[in-house]
Amino acid sequence: MLSTLEVITTVAVGLMVGVEFSVAFVMNPIFNALPEDSGQLGRAHGGRMLGAVMPFWYIGSLVLVAVWAIAGWSHDGAGLVVTAGALLIVSVLMSVLLLVPINNRGKTWTPENRPADWKEQMNRWDRYHYARVAVIVAAFTLLVTALV
């Protein structure tokens, strides 16, 4: 049973990392290269779509890691799992405090109502997002290491 939990947790976190990595290094560069207002409209749509899903994914992943840490407390690798959980807590705090406020503004913007500094705000979101991706990649790496 613990092995199943470990695999499900690792896959869930790994998929989350893949989505966030793709946003940082594939989707946003594509949006930034689009002509005229297309990039801003793409980011707004992405913010609405992923903004509805990612909170559940982040919290769900954190819950799975917590259950793994509790269930596997006496097993090798428990410290790695606890550390991964701490990193996921950091990622949730980063999301709530830094990224979500910008995303909540950006997902409502259109070419007609966006603020003059919208590109600066998107660049700030990107920088925070790169840091969050690094944190969740580290958490994922610890989970994979705990499996072996």
Side-chain angles (χ1 to χ4, degrees), residues 92-104:
V92 168
L93 291 173
M94 290 175 71
S95 298
V96 171
L97 298 174
L98 302 173
L99 290 123
V100 169
I102 298 170
N103 190 60
N104 284 344

Side-chain angles (χ1 to χ4, degrees), residues 97-119:
L97 298 174
L98 302 173
L99 290 123
V100 169
I102 298 170
N103 190 60
N104 284 344
R105 290 189 302 272
K107 69 185 183 182
T108 65
W109 293 339
T110 65
E112 294 78 29
N113 73 359
R114 66 187 180 211
D117 70 339
W118 74 272
K119 285 185 181 180

